[in-house]
């Protein structure tokens, strides 16, 4: 392999396109940041600091998800897998690890300095990739330059944001404004006169599916650690923890089944639908990560370590499960459904959000999800697919 090969655009219908070992390594390293974000979410919820927990988690998770998403779509179009490409990608991974190291400081002291530095490292490494693509792909040079300019400009604004005091009333509004600018860059760039990038629908669907698997796996690991510690503490909690463990396993299994029931590549038929589909996964990935934190909160409640009510402990699971279900239905399943079946998921979402007021709510959430999967297998598979 040569040191530097031209970064020509890959074909959007390239046969047998699969994720590379570097992409899988990238995902695994990013999950370190996901786990670091989920841990303080768990502790803050267990202490009853709900708004602080949600604000911190959603802000930190945006940085993780957005950097991952931008690399994923770039790699789908321009992965040359040469030495320079690998080194630049490893720099992005290093930035993700710096970001992960700053999560605790951001949650506890609202100090986003370390997170911002890690984020900027990731983003500027991607700028270098776009500049290289511009040099090698004359047809899409305007698109690549727009990406490089837009990303660089927003990084300057992120650094200027650090001048705000930690507890400033402008912190959240400025953050939201910068998020909107970040989201606008791909829309602006992909509509350049050079044409959109040649992302591969099958490859993109596989990459998103693999990251969903990894994030769900992280939730399982977080819950297992919490259960292990609790079981070893006091025998009197064994019955309650066993019921919770069985329910947690069923919940995660059902979430996996629901996401992978249908392939998504057939939905990525236009730039508009692809962007909406890609952006909507912020809620799927974030909710999947939050399920693990919710299960850990439930363990703390059963073992009397949480300073919250049973209703709030149940909502720590019910809310991320409901968000996950709604967006998987909206992005993945709704286009495949017809008739009354397409309303089943919104109804289940409402039911899950009401269950925390009922005794044994976590067990009931698991039962409802298992029933939903059963309906998908029996009724859903027999219903004609409108886009098949």
């Amino acid at each position: 392999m040569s040191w530097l090969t031209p970064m020509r655009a890959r074909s959007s219908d390239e046969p047998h396109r699969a994720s590379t070992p570097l992409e899988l390594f990238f995902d695994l390293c990013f999950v370190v940041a996901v786990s670091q974000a989920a841990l303080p979410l768990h502790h803050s919820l267990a202490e009853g600091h709900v708004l602080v927990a949600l604000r911190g988690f959603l802000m930190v998770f945006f940085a993780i998800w957005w950097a991952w998403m931008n690399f994923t779509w770039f790699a789908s179009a321009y992965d040359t897998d040469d030495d320079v490409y690998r080194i630049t990608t490893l720099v992005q991974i290093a930035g993700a690890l710096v970001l992960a190291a700053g999560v605790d400081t951001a949650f506890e002291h609202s100090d986003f300095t370390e997170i911002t530095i890690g984020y900027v490292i990731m983003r500027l490494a991607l700028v270098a990739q776009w500049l290289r693509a511009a040099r090698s792909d004359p047809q899409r040079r305007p698109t690549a330059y727009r990406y490089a300019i837009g990303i660089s400009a927003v990084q300057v604004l992120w650094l200027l944001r650090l001048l705000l005091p930690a507890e400033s009333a402008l912190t959240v509004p400025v953050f939201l404004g910068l998020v909107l600018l970040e989201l606008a860059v791909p829309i602006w760039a992909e509509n350049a006169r050079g044409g959109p990038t040649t992302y591969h629908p099958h490859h993109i669907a596989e990459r998103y599916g693999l990251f969903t698997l990894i994030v769900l796996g992280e939730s399982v690991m977080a819950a297992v650690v919490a259960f292990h510690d609790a079981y070893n503490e006091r025998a009197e909690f064994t019955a309650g923890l066993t019921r919770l463990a069985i329910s947690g396993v069923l919940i995660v299994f059902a979430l996996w089944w629901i996401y992978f029931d249908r392939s998504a590549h057939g939905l990525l038929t236009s730039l508009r639908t692809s962007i909406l589909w890609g952006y909507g996964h912020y809620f799927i990935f974030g909710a999947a990560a939050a399920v693990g934190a919710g299960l850990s909160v439930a363990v703390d409640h059963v073992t009397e370590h949480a300073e919250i009510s049973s209703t709030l402990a149940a909502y720590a699971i019910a809310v991320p499960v409901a968000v996950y279900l709604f967006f998987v239905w909206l992005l993945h399943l709704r286009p495949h459904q017809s008739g009354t079946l397409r309303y089943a998921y919104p109804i289940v979402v409402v039911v899950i959000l009401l269950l925390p007021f009922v005794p044994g709510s976590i067990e009931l959430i698991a039962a409802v999800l298992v029933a939903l999967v059963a309906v998908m297998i029996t009724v859903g598979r027999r219903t004609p697919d409108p886009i098949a």
Side-chain angles (χ1 to χ4, degrees), residues 228-252:
H228 176 269
D229 294 343
Y231 272 117
N232 291 337
E233 186 178 319
R234 291 165 65 182
E236 65 194 81
F237 299 125
T238 299
L241 287 172
T242 300
R243 291 195 300 272
L244 180 57
I246 294 172
S247 300
V249 167
L250 290 175
I251 288 170
V252 175

Side-chain angles (χ1 to χ4, degrees), residues 37-112:
L39 188 62
L41 174 65
H42 158 211
H43 294 312
S44 295
L45 289 176
E47 294 169 0
H49 306 311
V50 178
L51 294 179
V52 172
L54 290 177
R55 185 185 72 172
F57 177 75
L58 293 175
M59 292 171 71
V60 169
F61 197 83
F62 172 81
I64 299 168
W65 162 78
W66 188 242
W68 177 89
M69 177 175 162
N70 277 232
F71 165 79
T72 296
W73 288 78
F74 176 87
S76 188
Y78 288 107
D79 183 357
T80 54
D81 199 31
D82 59 11
D83 299 320
V84 173
Y85 178 86
R86 291 183 175 187
I87 292 170
T88 310
T89 301
L90 293 175
V91 171
Q92 291 178 263
I93 292 175
L97 298 179
V98 173
L99 186 152
V103 168
D104 282 342
T105 305
F107 264 88
E108 293 177 10
H109 307 292
S110 297
D111 183 355
F112 285 83

Side-chain angles (χ1 to χ4, degrees), residues 80-239:
T80 54
D81 199 31
D82 59 11
D83 299 320
V84 173
Y85 178 86
R86 291 183 175 187
I87 292 170
T88 310
T89 301
L90 293 175
V91 171
Q92 291 178 263
I93 292 175
L97 298 179
V98 173
L99 186 152
V103 168
D104 282 342
T105 305
F107 264 88
E108 293 177 10
H109 307 292
S110 297
D111 183 355
F112 285 83
T113 302
E114 198 167 355
I115 281 183
T116 302
I117 292 172
Y119 182 70
V120 170
I121 291 172
M122 290 187 286
R123 303 295 281 149
L124 292 184
L126 185 62
V127 168
Q129 297 273 47
W130 279 116
L131 290 174
R132 185 181 169 200
R135 178 174 176 268
S136 303
D137 185 6
Q139 178 183 342
R140 295 171 186 83
R141 186 168 293 158
T143 302
Y145 276 143
R146 282 194 181 190
Y147 269 110
I149 293 168
I151 293 171
S152 299
V154 178
Q155 300 326 293
V156 173
L157 296 178
W158 281 115
L159 291 172
L160 291 175
R161 179 180 174 271
L162 295 178
L163 299 176
L164 289 174
E167 301 300 329
S168 171
L170 295 175
T171 298
V172 173
V174 170
F175 176 86
L176 293 176
L178 291 175
V179 165
L180 292 176
L181 288 176
E182 288 277 19
L183 296 176
V185 169
I187 299 172
W188 174 60
E190 294 287 345
N191 284 283
R193 70 176 184 275
T197 52
T198 56
Y199 62 87
H200 194 290
H202 282 270
H203 179 245
I204 289 293
E206 180 190 21
R207 297 288 294 116
Y208 274 72
L210 289 171
F211 200 67
T212 302
L213 282 175
I214 293 173
V215 175
L216 284 174
E218 171 58 33
S219 291
V220 172
M221 186 180 73
V224 166
V225 170
F227 282 116
H228 176 269
D229 294 343
Y231 272 117
N232 291 337
E233 186 178 319
R234 291 165 65 182
E236 65 194 81
F237 299 125
T238 299

